């Protein structure tokens, strides 16, 4: 495909100009791929940051509700998760033990 593009630009195969054209197209594709990789890495980092912030909020809310009988005790079926540091469950709609 790159050879056809360079040929369409008017470069003759097996010339220095044709080789430079091929290298230029390769470098453009590599730069575009690098930019794409950076974009997706940034997206993944943002998703991780949001997930961790949501988990921190769930932990905080669950701890605030401790002793409030209006909310069920957090467990494995809670929407939140388990704090592996303290081995306690947390969630958006439950209370810590």
């Amino acid at each position: 495909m790159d050879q056809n593009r360079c040929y369409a630009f008017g470069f003759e195969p097996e010339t220095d100009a044709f080789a430079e054209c091929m290298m230029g197209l390769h470098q453009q594709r590599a730069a575009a791929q690098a930019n794409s990789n950076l974009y997706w890495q940034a997206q993944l980092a943002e998703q991780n940051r949001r997930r961790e912030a949501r988990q921190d909020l769930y932990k905080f809310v669950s701890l605030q509700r401790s002793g409030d009988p209006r909310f069920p005790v957090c467990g494995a079926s809670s929407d939140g998760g388990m704090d592996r540091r303290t081995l306690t469950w947390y969630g958006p709609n439950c209370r810590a033990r």
Side-chain angles (χ1 to χ4, degrees):
M1 186 168 61
D2 288 346
Q3 290 177 351
N4 290 339
R5 286 184 71 189
C6 288
Y7 186 75
F9 290 150
F11 299 111
E12 291 295 322
E14 300 181 17
T15 62
D16 289 341
F18 189 82
E20 288 176 15
C21 176
M22 293 287 289
M23 282 192 324
L25 293 175
H26 175 73
Q27 289 172 346
Q28 287 174 0
R29 190 169 27 268
Q33 182 64 40
N35 287 338
S36 177
N37 289 345
L38 289 175
Y39 170 80
W40 289 113
Q41 287 174 357
Q43 291 295 317
L44 182 60
E46 178 65 17
Q47 286 176 357
N48 288 337
R49 187 194 63 75
R50 287 182 182 182
R51 186 186 74 248
E52 289 171 3
R54 185 174 54 247
Q55 288 175 340
D56 289 343
L57 175 65
Y58 290 168
K59 289 176 193 177
F60 178 75
V61 170
S62 295
L63 286 173
Q64 277 189 324
R65 294 176 177 159
S66 291
D68 189 341
R70 294 177 295 172
F71 297 95
V73 174
C74 297
S77 62
S78 302
D79 290 337
M82 181 181 215
D83 185 353
R84 301 207 187 292
R85 191 173 40 85
T86 61
L87 298 176
T88 56
W89 294 98
Y90 60 88
N93 301 313
C94 60
R95 63 185 163 98
R97 292 185 189 252

